[in-house]
Each structure stands twice: as C-alpha cells, then as structure tokens.
Amino acid sequence: MAAAAPSMLEKALLLGGVAAPSTYFATQLIAAQFYPGYSFMHQEASELGAVGAPSRALFNTGALATGVAALLGGVGAFLALRREGVHALVALVVALCFVSIGAAAINAWLFPMPDPRHNPGPIQIGIFILPLAAPIAFLFVKRAALAKAALLLALVAFAGVAAIMSGLTPVQPANASGLWQRVVAAAAYLPVLILSLSLLVRARSVHLEKGA
C-alpha cells in the first residue's frame, strides 16, 4: 500500500530536524566572530555562551533555537515514520531521542557555564540512543536503501568517536578538547540530519506523486 500523503505540518516540522544541526554549528561560527582569540581547537562550544563571554547572548540564543528546532523535528519524525508504516513504539523512541537532544540544547541556554547545571546529565541520553534507533526505524521503511546506508555509516562513526572518547584508542582527545567536542557533536547530530532530511525528501516525493 502506498504511503499516505504527508501534511504541510509534517513537512514543516521535519524542517526543524534539518535545521537543528545546521543551527548548532552556524551559531558557533557566528558567535566566535565576537569572541577575540577564541580557539575552535582548544575551547569547547559552550565557552562561547559562558557568563562574561562577549558572545554570550548570541550563542545562547542559538542554543535555544537549536533546542526548539530539535523538539519540532522530533514531532515531525514521529508523524513521518508512522505514515511510512513504522511501528508506533519505534517511532516514539526516535521522537524521544530528538526531544532529549533538544532538551539538552535548551538546558545549555538556561544554565550557561560555569553553572554546574550546564551539564545536562541524563537529559541527553537520546544522543547515545538515536544512532542505533534511527537505522532500526528505517529497517521498516521501504525503498530507502540510501538512507539506510547513510544511517549505518553514522552509527559506525558514532561508535568510533565513542571508542576514542572512552580511551580505547591511542588518540588523545585532551590535546584538542575543542576540536573533539565538535567531532562528538557532529557524530551525535548526524543521525538527526540524515533521518530528518531523508523523511523530508520522501514526504515531498509522495506529495508530488499524489499531485501528479
């Protein structure tokens, strides 16, 4: 049975999932221009929003925007996966991972460094679950070989980064903490981007087919 036609709301929400990773990294690039001497190699992203940082307002506004976009993207992912025939429980796990990632970004906005509450702790658990949950969800999506391959590669990348950060390899992240923090973030946001973009492209394709 062909997938039902997606709603405009679904496609708009999926754009949130596409925008979240872009907003996260774009905010850093822009905020760093207002932080003299800032080092992407040795300073973590959150330092751009720390109390007293000249780029604080700009970075923290971007963190809030990133979080809201991820939350919206989670709703869109749930609707799209359900329309594609994915089991409600699997779709819900994916959506909750988006919510977790969004909540972690909003937490960074609420509690800028050096507030000890800046570390989201268990709130960010979705970061670790989504790389596995996303390819599992796409197992139930038909005619999506490219997306499945991309999500599997994202899972491998996340596993590799996790191994490095856990000290299981000779690589020493402490020598470039800022760089590796961004590598971790990229590995975490990659499934968000791939899943959201793939579902959005499929939604638009279905819309065109229905309108033909």
Side-chain angles (χ1 to χ4, degrees):
M1 182 179 296
S7 66
M8 291 298 295
L9 175 61
E10 177 188 316
K11 289 185 285 186
L13 290 169
L14 285 172
L15 280 173
V18 175
S22 306
T23 303
Y24 175 80
F25 288 104
T27 295
Q28 296 178 47
L29 291 173
I30 297 171
Q33 306 308 309
F34 299 89
Y35 191 129
Y38 181 80
S39 171
F40 282 95
M41 181 69 69
H42 300 292
Q43 291 178 268
E44 297 186 2
S46 291
E47 293 185 47
L48 289 165
V51 174
S55 54
R56 177 184 179 185
L58 181 56
F59 177 84
N60 289 329
T61 299
L64 175 60
T66 299
V68 171
L71 295 180
L72 296 176
V75 178
F78 178 81
L79 294 176
L81 288 172
R82 289 294 293 137
R83 182 177 51 78
E84 292 280 2
V86 176
H87 192 281
L89 181 58
V90 177
L92 180 60
V93 169
V94 170
L96 289 176
C97 287
F98 274 63
V99 170
S100 170
I101 293 170
I106 293 173
N107 183 81
W109 166 70
L110 287 171
F111 307 111
M113 293 176 66
D115 193 316
R117 293 170 293 179
H118 180 76
N119 186 338
I123 293 175
Q124 62 182 346
I125 190 171
I127 290 174
F128 306 98
I129 298 176
L130 185 61
L132 181 59
I136 289 176
F138 259 75
L139 288 176
F140 303 94
V141 177
K142 298 178 180 178
R143 298 184 298 278
L146 182 59
K148 292 175 183 178
L151 287 170
L152 285 175
L153 287 175
L155 174 59
V156 171
F158 186 85
V161 170
I164 292 172
M165 300 306 295
S166 300
L168 300 177
T169 71
V171 179
Q172 298 296 321
N175 296 332
S177 58
L179 173 63
W180 281 102
Q181 184 267 325
R182 290 172 175 85
V183 170
V184 172
Y189 273 111
L190 189 56
V192 174
L193 178 61
I194 294 172
L195 186 141
S196 300
L197 186 58
S198 299
L199 290 173
L200 180 61
V201 170
R202 290 175 65 84
R204 289 180 171 176
S205 297
V206 171
H207 179 79
L208 291 174
E209 291 173 1
K210 295 293 182 179

